[in-house]
Amino acid sequence: MKLEKTAVVLACITIVIGIGSSRGPVKNMLQHISSQGETETVWVNLSSNEAQEKIRKVIEAKAVELKSPPVNAVVDRIWKAIPGYNGVEIDVEATYQKSQLATSEMEIKYVYRQTQPSVSLNDLGAHPIYRGNPNKPMVSFMINVAWGNEYIVPMLDILDEERVKVTFFLDGSWLSHNPDLAAEMLKRGHELENHAYTHPQMSTLSKERATLEIVKTRTLLEKMGVTNQWFAPPSGDYDQETVDIASGLGLKTVLWTLDTVDWRKPTPESVVAKITAKVEPGFLILMHPTSSSSKALRGMIQGIKAKGLTLGTVSQTLSSERLMPSKVE
């Protein structure tokens, strides 16, 4: 008796695999890839060894089709240190064992695992970082704060409404005078990082003074319960000694890929147009709590999302953790 093929189609791609009738009780198999790329619905009689073998072959074939290798971190001539990006593959055995829990109408729920690059950022040594891996469809706002208090809460409200988390790089002297505002950033789930203490030109400082600038701000962050990971040199000014000092303190030096140049007071419309036109996967977007960026923030967020990019913190964008899109590729 032929079974009626019914399933909820959760993805834009539907693959029908005909197994055909045989001497065993297997009638046919209907495969649907879900919106997460991880479910196939299969009609079988699981008492059949032939059915089990064909299920395994489906899983193995899908594993070959969807396997994506990891990408190693590298030092680029222009972009300096670029983080790696995890690969992804189907765990064939785990998926097959999971399929044994069904009885007659079953779903193959694929079990994925990420595979790490053999070379990570930590293996590259002390280099500045200007961007994330271009294979990762995520970008970050890095907001340097040394002034502009009147725009901070309005920006936080927009970020809440748009469900976006950012990284604030805090000047230590500002932080020492504005602990409540910093605590509000942290309370709302944003990342707080190091922007030196007195907004100096780091390349002009002695080793002792440069170290003190970073350490004083790191100490203030630690008192808030923050584990400091990143250092953004004020005005983007640094030399190799700066990078080495930060590295010796356990921090990676991070700059930006794309600048709003909001200190020049551009119109919000021009900021939105510039950022949405130029943004690409892995970009770090620099801004400050200014009138221009505050008024452009929602438009930038919506424009970035419209390009299929996810917004995250600097730590998220620069990690090798793979984003699992609607269809695993």
Side-chain angles (χ1 to χ4, degrees), residues 18 49 63 173 176 208 215 242 283:
N49 291 332
S173 60
S176 68
E208 292 74 19
V215 168
T242 305
F283 272 28

Side-chain angles (χ1 to χ4, degrees), residues 222-268:
E222 289 173 345
K223 287 180 179 178
M224 297 181 65
V226 172
T227 300
N228 188 194
Q229 303 177 74
W230 309 100
F231 170 64
S235 304
D237 179 77
Y238 72 95
D239 56 15
Q240 186 57 43
E241 184 175 64
T242 305
V243 179
D244 291 339
I245 290 169
S247 179
L249 294 169
L251 309 181
K252 288 182 172 59
T253 299
V254 61
L255 293 106
W256 61 88
T257 330
L258 187 57
D259 190 354
T260 60
V261 198
D262 52 8
W263 53 273
R264 291 183 179 173
K265 301 180 180 180
T267 65

Side-chain angles (χ1 to χ4, degrees), residues 146 149 171-182 197-198 220:
N149 290 13
D171 173 272
S173 60
W174 179 91
L175 176 54
S176 68
H177 291 96
N178 297 277
D180 291 343
L181 271 178
Y197 194 83
T198 62
L220 289 174

